[in-house]
Amino acid sequence: MKLLKIKLLFIILLLNTPTYAEKLCAYLANGKRVTDKILTDDKLGIRTPIQYKNQQGKVIIPLSAGFQTFGLAYQGSDAACSPKCFRQHAWLYNGKDYDFVDNKGKVWYQIYWFDMGADYPKEGLFRIKQNGLIGYASEKNKKIVIPARFQAAFPFENGRAKVAYRAKSKCDGEGHCWSVPDPSATDLENRYFYINKKGEFLAWVYPNN
């Protein structure tokens, strides 16, 4: 009896440990689990609807969430876009963008693309998107640290980042884009300024470029 109580206590502690995360895997509408063989043999299109089930077969992220197979054939780790399986969280393609989703199906924010992939962390923070604006999330727990309120935002360097409320994207025709001041904005909105890791104003950027 004592041994049984110890085992039960161990299981309870395991399930309530923050590092524990239930594994979810991608399935098609017909119930087939998405594997490399399915992707190859069935020649799935990149817009095929998918759902995610746990190891007991329960649907956690339904087809109605709108996620699709784009990216599944290329990457499969926890950090990948639209992985075949994941535990804590993943980037899932929603038909237009990539959502950052946890293993409960909750969407936290959207991906900020940089160098053909998700923005990589600098000084413990990485850029994210919400409603078309840019903010910053923590590398450690992936939670938003600085709310998305900028149209231009650069990685942190030496404890500060350059941002602007108004900006436009400029591209070179080879897939490389960057933000430039928006000439239609007011002077105050159009200026770049520095913020700290709490999102607080530090100083104006001079010259304004």
Side-chain angles (χ1 to χ4, degrees):
M1 181 63 72
K2 185 176 180 180
L3 181 60
L4 178 60
K5 288 182 178 179
I6 293 174
K7 287 182 177 180
L8 288 174
L9 179 61
F10 175 78
I11 292 173
I12 292 171
L13 289 172
L14 178 63
L15 292 175
N16 286 279
T17 300
T19 55
Y20 174 82
E22 189 172 36
K23 184 179 181 180
L24 304 185
C25 289
Y27 287 79
L28 303 178
N30 61 11
K32 287 185 178 181
R33 179 172 167 177
V34 177
T35 62
D36 290 330
K37 189 175 189 304
I38 286 288
L39 289 167
T40 302
D41 294 353
D42 290 19
K43 298 179 180 179
L44 296 181
I46 64 172
R47 307 289 184 178
T48 305
I50 55 173
Q51 58 192 327
Y52 281 84
K53 299 180 182 181
N54 63 16
Q55 291 172 286
Q56 288 72 48
K58 180 181 178 181
V59 175
I60 304 300
I61 303 177
L63 290 168
S64 59
F67 297 119
Q68 303 174 7
T69 52
F70 186 77
L72 282 166
Y74 310 107
Q75 303 184 60
S77 69
D78 279 5
C81 294
S82 292
K84 289 181 271 298
C85 292
F86 72 95
R87 288 189 180 276
Q88 293 182 325
H89 37 67
W91 297 110
L92 303 182
Y93 184 64
N94 62 23
K96 181 181 179 181
D97 207 337
Y98 281 93
D99 290 331
F100 186 75
V101 185
D102 64 23
N103 68 342
K104 303 298 182 184
K106 179 182 177 181
V107 176
W108 290 20
Y109 40 73
Q110 284 74 50
I111 191 174
Y112 180 88
W113 284 100
F114 185 75
D115 281 352
M116 304 302 291
D119 189 41
Y120 45 82
K122 291 290 292 293
E123 299 189 4
L125 299 178
F126 62 93
R127 290 169 290 179
I128 57 92
K129 290 196 312 181
Q130 280 186 325
N131 300 317
L133 298 177
I134 308 168
Y136 296 83
S138 165
E139 176 185 11
K140 184 176 182 180
N141 59 25
K142 307 301 185 292
K143 293 182 179 180
I144 293 176
V145 175
I146 301 174
R149 57 177 183 263
F150 309 109
Q151 287 188 352
F154 291 78
F156 271 85
E157 186 175 353
N158 299 320
R160 67 181 189 177
K162 185 171 73 169
V163 298
Y165 289 120
R166 292 284 299 273
K168 289 185 176 181
S169 292
K170 183 177 181 180
C171 301
D172 60 8
E174 297 181 0
H176 301 99
C177 299
W178 60 95
S179 296
V180 295
D182 181 355
S184 67
T186 65
D187 182 61
L188 180 62
E189 291 174 329
N190 195 38
R191 295 176 67 180
Y192 282 105
F193 58 95
Y194 290 111
I195 58 171
N196 62 20
K197 291 185 178 181
K198 294 182 179 180
E200 299 168 335
F201 175 88
L202 289 178
W204 294 108
V205 175
Y206 296 101
N208 185 30
N209 53 30

